[in-house]
Amino acid sequence: MPTVFHIPVCPFSQRLEILLELKGIRDRVRFEVVDITRPRPPELLALTGGPVPLPVLAADDGTVLRESLVLLRYLDTLHPQVPVAQADPLRHAVENLLCTHEGAFTGAGYTLVMNRDPARREGLAAALLEQYARLDAFLCRHARGTPWLFEQFGWAEAVYTPLFARFAFLGWYEGFELPEEARYARVRAWRDACLRHPAAQQVSPEEVIKLYYDYALGCGNGALPPGRTRSSFAFEPHWRMRPWPPRDKYGEPATDAALGLA
Ligand code: GAZ
């Protein structure tokens, strides 16, 4: 049974959780939680030969893999009973082609939430809208179903849904919403269906908004903003117990106490 080292709220790790949920085999992988706010544990560093991004998978024979899309494919083929990727070569090529956009899409959303310069907001929001428009055009051209790329929630949906879920932070911290325009109608239908799918309910907008407060201050990957002693990604106190963070990310930053972290 493989072990996956992961940061629970990380979108790349959620891809694996969605895949396992779709296949009904969540218990066939051992998940080890890593605290992003602390240095990596020595056992993990020994396994990976240095600090590497998570998720990381240790296979039964000791092989250590990383990159969520590589892990996704490995788990899908390791347990082939309920395939998530398309079996037909051409169909799999089409879903893979859609997934070649995931890096640019992710980058555009994270750059917007992490931006600290009000003068750049408009340009960064336009760049993200361009990414949504690309996805929309792709779906209009290639989708064989509605609202999914193919007949059901599958490979491409498992890849993108965690990012759609993280982008709740853009609504809260940037007032960014996908405009109700024809240009985005197809990708909106896809996104909304993805977010509602029962296999993709691992994180809520509230959890994302509370945990990613530090990203809105420009501090990624568990880094501490100036004047703070505790990261918004801390496991304690539980996010449900904390107040909603201020929406104005360009104003006075909230203290540990105001965030319910003290
Ligand atoms: N391509 C890899 C994959 O598995 O698909 C990416 C994995 C990754 O970035 N993992 C991050 C990690 O382990 C956590 S999630 N970081 C902790 C560490 O110590 O290295 C952050 C960004 C960003 C996009 C996404 C993320 C994110 O900018 O969610 O900037 C800080 C990290 C475009």
Side-chain angles (χ1 to χ4, degrees):
M1 177 145 116
T3 302
V4 168
F5 296 86
H6 80 141
I7 300 159
V9 81
C10 166
F12 309 112
S13 151
Q14 193 193 356
R15 289 173 174 165
L16 309 187
E17 297 179 85
I18 292 172
L19 178 102
L20 295 172
E21 204 67 57
L22 288 168
K23 295 167 87 69
I25 53 162
R26 177 65 210 239
D27 56 340
R28 304 297 288 276
V29 168
R30 190 180 307 110
F31 278 94
E32 290 277 347
V33 169
V34 176
D35 184 344
I36 198 178
T37 71
R38 295 170 198 268
R40 291 269 196 280
E43 316 83 75
L44 181 56
L45 286 173
L47 209 59
T48 54
V52 300
L54 301 177
V56 157
L57 180 147
D60 292 344
D61 77 345
T63 304
V64 175
L65 299 170
R66 64 188 171 88
E67 282 303 322
S68 58
L69 299 186
V70 172
L71 307 190
L72 214 54
R73 190 71 180 145
Y74 173 63
L75 292 173
D76 200 23
T77 47
L78 181 67
H79 298 291
Q81 296 79 5
V82 181
V84 171
Q86 294 290 314
D88 174 70
L90 194 54
R91 284 174 154 241
H92 186 52
V94 168
E95 62 194 356
N96 257 338
L97 185 59
L98 177 52
C99 293
T100 61
H101 298 241
E102 62 89 28
F105 182 70
T106 305
Y110 276 79
T111 307
L112 177 56
V113 78
M114 294 179 76
N115 169 51
R116 301 300 300 149
D117 178 1
R120 292 186 64 211
R121 281 175 91 170
E122 209 175 311
L124 295 175
L128 178 58
L129 285 177
E130 236 10 86
Q131 293 299 324
Y132 275 108
R134 276 178 82 190
L135 294 179
D136 194 282
F138 188 99
L139 290 165
C140 287
R141 192 174 157 84
H142 290 289
R144 315 277 173 92
T146 337
W148 317 114
L149 176 58
F150 295 110
E151 291 74 20
Q152 54 188 358
F153 187 111
W155 181 264
E157 286 81 8
V159 168
Y160 278 94
T161 303
L163 301 163
F164 294 146
R166 297 307 168 288
F167 290 0
F169 54 46
L170 294 173
W172 186 262
Y173 296 114
E174 283 288 344
F176 176 94
E177 302 291 346
L178 192 56
E180 304 249 3
E181 292 170 20
R183 184 174 191 232
Y184 311 111
R186 184 63 184 86
V187 70
R188 168 196 296 284
W190 190 51
R191 179 199 65 177
D192 292 351
C194 285
L195 288 171
R196 277 196 302 267
H197 194 277
Q201 302 305 311
Q202 292 81 4
V203 295
S204 66
E206 179 179 354
E207 178 174 12
V208 165
I209 287 162
K210 290 180 177 178
L211 267 62
Y212 281 81
Y213 179 68
D214 295 352
Y215 270 76
L217 300 183
C219 297
N221 281 322
L224 265 186
R228 295 261 306 286
T229 68
R230 309 218 41 224
S231 161
S232 57
F233 286 96
F235 293 141
E236 298 288 331
H238 192 277
W239 55 267
R240 272 188 224 283
M241 311 303 287
R242 307 185 211 162
W244 288 79
R247 297 183 86 130
D248 179 13
K249 59 175 250 195
Y250 298 97
E252 196 59 37
T255 60
D256 288 341
L259 295 167
L261 290 164

